[in-house]
Amino acid sequence: MRKLAPKVPVFSNSDDFGSSEKRPEGAQESMHQGHETKSLAAIVPGKSRRTCMLSIDLIDANPFSSREIYTPRMIRDRATALLIQGQRDPIHVIPNPNKPDRFIIVDGWIRVQACRDYRVMNKLLAEVHEGMSMKEAAWFGYEQNEVANQYCELDRAMFYEKLTQRGATETQIKKYAYLSSSQMIYYRSFAQLPADVMEVVRRDPRRFDAIAVHQISKVVRCVGVKQAVKLAARYCEKERRFSWLVGQVQALIEAKEDKRKSPSKKVKFRNGFYEVRGSSVKVRITIEDPAVRASFLEKLEELLATYAESPRVS
């Protein structure tokens, strides 16, 4: 949905993600399109770093990771690449403020997991960013992932949600991630999904961008979780178009609204009924005689040709 890289925010040493400190004068904004990503130590003056070989057993997960999806295949493929090509670029870590001599991953967690699961390497080349706060580390990892393969909008949405839960305002997130108000609404839709619906999204996250998830969240609110799960599964199964999804959402919501309305007219017959409910008209007639049924269908089709709209193209 979006291609621009974020403005990397500069915070105080506090872990308050709602900090509103300004960027220091001279700080650069990194643009990922067509450019190599720069280290945050280069972007933010005054941050020191050192490079060393670091044991994978000393690296802890980042509670504010900007990536949500780590599939077994993703980790296996990275292990294979490390085995064949070796380590091309260093991982990025910060000292763990709560555990001396341990480190928190900033960027490169897939490589750490690949080495642990497949014992490819016991140590990895790491850039240790001294003095980088958790907030700066969070946005730096986000920036690195914006140019990474297999990064999806579920990853972005859950990252924004983590920051929101730690006190960052929507205004701050929109500013640093180049998001419009409508885009922020779409991304917040991920966090509104019930677990059953989110399970479907996680199976194939690349099928579910923020706009598609926003549509499915409408079904959750207006129709129910069960229908939302079914719709998400159908959308995922056959690589259907987004226009199909929008049409299905509208149909489900309209059908739900019609059911809530009392029939404005209902006529019962011995062999069926005729009912008007809101804008919907329903006719159910049982005709046993084949000749009479054929005559009825002929006249019905003539009537439908006059008033029915063209069918939707999926």
Side-chain angles (χ1 to χ4, degrees), residues 265-269 272-276 281-284:
K265 183 175 183 180
K266 186 169 185 178
V267 181
K268 293 184 178 180
F269 308 100
F273 67 87
Y274 155 61
E275 177 183 285
V276 179
V281 178
K282 182 184 292 185
V283 178
R284 180 174 294 176

Side-chain angles (χ1 to χ4, degrees), residues 242-257:
F242 177 70
S243 57
W244 176 90
L245 178 63
V246 173
Q248 293 294 309
V249 170
Q250 291 175 345
L252 286 169
I253 293 175
E254 289 172 2
K256 186 71 173 181
E257 290 175 349

Side-chain angles (χ1 to χ4, degrees), residues 297-309:
L297 291 174
E298 181 180 354
K299 289 180 171 59
L300 178 62
E301 289 173 359
E302 290 177 2
L303 191 63
L304 290 173
T306 303
Y307 295 103
E309 297 178 357

